[in-house]
Amino acid sequence: MTSTLRLAEVTSANFDAAIELRVQPEQRHLVAPVVKSLAEAYVHPGIAWPRLIFDGDRLVGFLMAFLDIDFAGDGTGTDIRSGLWRLNIAAGEQGRGYGRFAVDAVAAEIRRRGGDRLTASWHPGDDGPERFYLKLGFRLTGEMSGDQVVGELALG
């Protein structure tokens, strides 16, 4: 990993490169493609926070955070959370610190908005990203979000 890591908004200039970003073939069942994430961001303005991850001028990944959602979905507003919705690191770019950079960037944005925890969910199983998240300090909550386990990272 270099010191030239940065996030960038998705624009008309980088849109085509963004939607061409692919994870490793054996991981495609674990994360939605970038184009689906961008469509979800379009229909959830103000909640979705999509960003491209660049190392210098090279696109190496995509992240999308969710900000201040009713996580329980029961309309009471008693469980408002922010977290990492999607993380796609390009095939051949994993293991270089880009995922950690992405989580740190989302954590910084959540802190900037006054939050103190980062929620993420992932597909369980040996082929999933659970080891990655646990290594970063996430703790399993015991909850499920659809067919995904939920973890949280305290930002105190």
Side-chain angles (χ1 to χ4, degrees):
M1 182 171 68
T2 68
S3 61
T4 61
L5 291 179
R6 63 184 172 88
L7 295 183
E9 291 187 26
V10 179
T11 67
S12 60
N14 60 30
F15 174 78
D16 287 334
I19 65 171
E20 291 300 319
L21 188 136
R22 301 284 185 269
V23 298
Q24 295 183 31
E26 65 272 14
Q27 296 172 330
R28 289 188 183 148
H29 70 285
L30 298 171
V31 64
V34 173
V35 70
K36 179 177 181 182
S37 296
L38 292 176
E40 289 172 326
Y42 177 81
V43 299
H44 297 287
I47 293 172
W49 192 72
R51 295 294 185 270
L52 298 175
I53 305 165
F54 283 90
D55 188 346
D57 292 331
R58 195 172 85 248
L59 177 61
V60 298
F62 170 83
L63 69 82
M64 187 162 71
F66 60 89
L67 300 167
D68 300 323
I69 66 163
D70 178 359
F71 196 78
D74 60 8
T76 65
T78 59
D79 188 14
I80 303 300
R81 299 189 202 183
S82 297
L84 186 61
W85 190 348
R86 295 274 160 61
L87 179 57
N88 304 56
I89 301 299
E93 300 290 355
Q94 294 179 7
R96 297 181 181 174
Y98 302 133
R100 175 180 291 276
F101 171 80
V103 171
D104 288 346
V106 171
E109 182 62 20
I110 292 170
R111 277 190 202 100
R112 187 184 74 74
R113 294 169 180 251
D116 62 0
R117 65 180 171 164
L118 190 164
T119 301
S121 62
W122 56 84
H123 288 282
D126 292 337
D127 63 343
E130 185 165 285
R131 285 187 305 260
F132 165 77
Y133 287 111
L134 295 179
K135 184 177 176 183
L136 293 180
F138 280 82
R139 299 290 175 247
L140 295 172
T141 66
E143 300 168 290
M144 297 292 289
S145 178
D147 61 351
Q148 298 184 7
V149 297
V150 176
E152 284 192 345
L153 178 65
L155 303 179

